[in-house]
Amino acid sequence: NEDLLQEALQSLIEVASVEPDFFKQQLQQAMEPAKLLVEIINTRSVFEPGLRNLALEWIVTFLEKKHKWLTKQLPAFAQLALEACMSMMAEVEDGEEELRIWAERMDDEEGDEDEDELFHAGEETIDRIADALPMETISAPLCQLVGRYAAMNEWQAKHAALAAIKQTIEYVEDKSHVDQMADLLMQHLEHPHPRV
């Protein structure tokens, strides 16, 4: 029942925000509940977007509360969180009608770029991760993920890679990484899909 799952996820988020140490032992032993929640995030056909957003919210809430501990004791958590964000950011609807609606929104003076709920959740969360963790901790997995998504054929993956750069560039201090990100952006200036 989705209502029960929603209630359970909300309770997990509340515990993570009030008493995050509750999860430390299980995370160290089996990376749970993080693995289960990432499974929910990545199961497109079964779970509705609201539940998937709640699962992602637990991950980022715990990360924000225990960022020092994660950096020292469980660096793999950052990789897991970034992968979940990128997966959601690649979920942008494709089709003529969706493109027409997007183009109309782009012409709107409000400038609301995207209405895609999952994309925005992933985009906001990747920014929160970059804000919470030192760039040295996330730089390698982030660059690897951005490179992997940029190399995919689907425009949605390229869009996700470029959005990840947009969300994290302000935290990058290493000039060589900034140059790599700029090169990747420049490579996609002439991409045939307008959303890239």
Side-chain angles (χ1 to χ4, degrees):
N1 185 330
E2 288 198 0
D3 290 338
L4 289 175
L5 181 56
Q6 179 176 348
E7 203 173 298
L9 289 171
Q10 288 169 334
S11 295
L12 284 173
I13 293 165
E14 189 174 326
V15 172
S17 67
V18 175
E19 191 58 53
D21 289 345
F22 176 81
F23 298 103
K24 284 168 62 173
Q25 185 177 2
Q26 273 303 107
L27 284 166
Q28 278 188 308
Q29 291 174 353
M31 195 66 102
E32 293 296 350
K35 284 184 178 178
L36 172 65
L37 295 172
V38 167
E39 201 172 305
I40 290 171
I41 291 165
N42 291 332
T43 308
R44 299 174 185 194
S45 58
V46 177
F47 299 107
E48 65 181 47
L51 292 174
R52 295 170 67 207
N53 285 341
L54 285 173
L56 187 62
E57 183 60 32
W58 180 88
I59 288 175
V60 74
T61 298
F62 184 82
L63 186 143
E64 288 172 332
K65 291 290 185 178
K66 300 305 291 180
H67 57 92
K68 290 179 183 173
W69 180 80
L70 288 170
T71 300
K72 292 177 184 165
Q73 301 295 321
L74 206 59
F77 192 93
Q79 172 84 26
L80 195 71
L82 291 168
E83 286 175 359
C85 291
M86 293 296 289
S87 173
M88 288 181 84
M89 289 168 60
E91 290 191 45
V92 179
E93 294 294 323
D94 195 14
E96 292 296 318
E97 182 64 16
E98 288 81 1
L99 184 58
R100 184 190 63 70
I101 292 168
W102 173 81
E104 287 174 4
R105 279 196 317 260
M106 290 302 291
D107 287 340
D108 184 8
E109 292 201 20
E110 296 294 312
D112 190 19
E113 226 173 271
D114 283 302
E115 290 291 318
D116 302 292
E117 178 183 352
L118 295 172
F119 171 82
H120 280 302
E123 187 180 46
E124 177 189 326
T125 303
I126 209 165
D127 182 62
R128 289 170 65 188
I129 292 168
D131 188 41
L133 294 176
M135 197 43 121
E136 308 83 63
T137 302
I138 65 167
S139 179
L142 178 64
C143 289
Q144 183 264 334
L145 283 167
V146 166
R148 187 175 74 194
Y149 274 71
M152 292 180 184
N153 290 329
E154 297 85 12
W155 70 264
Q156 292 95 330
K158 292 179 187 313
H159 182 256
L162 300 177
I165 290 172
K166 178 187 84 163
Q167 291 301 109
T168 58
I169 191 70
E170 68 185 284
Y171 304 102
V172 178
E173 294 178 5
D174 184 326
K175 185 178 176 349
S176 66
H177 286 133
V178 172
D179 291 343
Q180 288 174 339
M181 290 175 154
D183 287 345
L184 189 59
L185 292 171
M186 296 304 286
Q187 291 170 20
H188 290 87
L189 279 178
E190 301 297 323
H191 192 277
H193 198 284
R195 290 190 73 173
V196 174

